[in-house]
Amino acid sequence: MAKNIKIRFFPFYITIIYTIGLYFFYLKYVPLVKNFQVIFLPVLLLVLFLASLKVEWGTLFFVFTFPIINALPYFFGLFENIPCAPTALVLFLFYFLGILVRNSYTEPKLSIKHPIFQPMILLSCVILISGLVNYLRYSNFYPIFSDSIYELQTNVNGVTTGGALMSTLFHSLNYLTGFVFFTILLNTAKSREYIKKLIVAQMIGLPIILLLGFYQHFRDPSFGNTPFWVQMMQINST
């Protein structure tokens, strides 16, 4: 007989709040281009589904997909001139949502008792505070002192307030999600057998993107690449 699933209400509410935040983040920072979404969205839903069933399955799929996913937008003309969240970051956010879903009905197995987590927690707090201060500074301390966010130029490269706010958000999330993933990995990869599976998953994903790099270098630099990197004579697989 199947075991009765008991909802853990506090993690469940956290999951609901996170899901709502991720929904609006997705609408604002992920290009809603149909052909791109047809490929990208199933990958996101699959990593969410696997992680919600078993963290180890979701982690294996995430490790396999991580080196490949960043090149995906370039095949659909989504270059630097279109502001969007890094696809690897969005992949992790869905992976983490799957873990939150799982923790809503099972006891979490994560531990932060190892001494290495102390400086990580401290640095995470610094990043959160720094990100908040930068956000308030670029937005002219809206909504404390301003009626709205003004699109002022923030540097000599012509980056406006909106671009600076977006960069602040993405960089902060990149740092924080890196720490979170390290925590999950340290708590998940405890056996040699599973570590071998992680290595195999990564070794399957890496050659795919490296083959793309070789094709770009020897045949067609514009294939799966951005005009900027083509002009700089660089391949994006590195």
Side-chain angles (χ1 to χ4, degrees), residues 35 87 100 141 187-188 234:
N35 293 337
T87 47
L100 290 179
F141 286 87
N187 282 271
T188 305
Q234 291 198 19

Coordinates of all heavy atoms in Angstrom, one line a residue, residues 35 87 100 141 187-188 234:
N35 N 9.3 29.4 -29.7 CA 10.3 28.3 -30.1 C 11.3 28.0 -29.0 O 11.7 26.9 -28.7 CB 11.0 28.7 -31.4 CG 10.1 28.7 -32.5 OD1 9.0 28.1 -32.5 ND2 10.4 29.4 -33.6
T87 N 20.1 31.4 -18.3 CA 19.3 30.1 -18.3 C 19.7 29.2 -17.2 O 18.9 28.4 -16.7 CB 19.4 29.5 -19.7 OG1 20.8 29.4 -20.1 CG2 18.6 30.3 -20.7
L100 N 12.1 22.2 -2.6 CA 11.1 22.7 -1.7 C 9.8 21.9 -1.7 O 9.2 21.7 -0.6 CB 10.8 24.2 -2.0 CG 11.9 25.2 -1.7 CD1 11.5 26.6 -2.2 CD2 12.3 25.2 -0.3
F141 N 16.4 55.0 -3.9 CA 15.7 54.6 -2.6 C 14.2 54.6 -2.8 O 13.5 55.0 -1.9 CB 16.2 55.6 -1.5 CG 17.6 55.3 -1.0 CD1 18.6 55.9 -1.7 CD2 17.8 54.4 0.0 CE1 19.9 55.6 -1.2 CE2 19.1 54.2 0.5 CZ 20.2 54.8 -0.2
N187 N 25.4 17.6 1.2 CA 24.5 16.7 1.9 C 24.0 15.5 1.1 O 23.4 14.6 1.7 CB 23.3 17.5 2.4 CG 23.6 18.4 3.6 OD1 23.5 17.9 4.8 ND2 24.0 19.6 3.4
T188 N 24.1 15.6 -0.2 CA 23.5 14.6 -1.1 C 24.6 13.6 -1.5 O 24.3 12.3 -1.5 CB 22.9 15.2 -2.3 OG1 21.9 16.1 -1.9 CG2 22.2 14.1 -3.2
Q234 N 35.6 34.7 -30.2 CA 35.6 33.8 -29.1 C 34.4 32.8 -29.3 O 33.4 33.2 -29.9 CB 35.4 34.5 -27.8 CG 36.7 35.3 -27.4 CD 36.7 35.7 -25.9 OE1 35.9 35.1 -25.1 NE2 37.4 36.7 -25.5

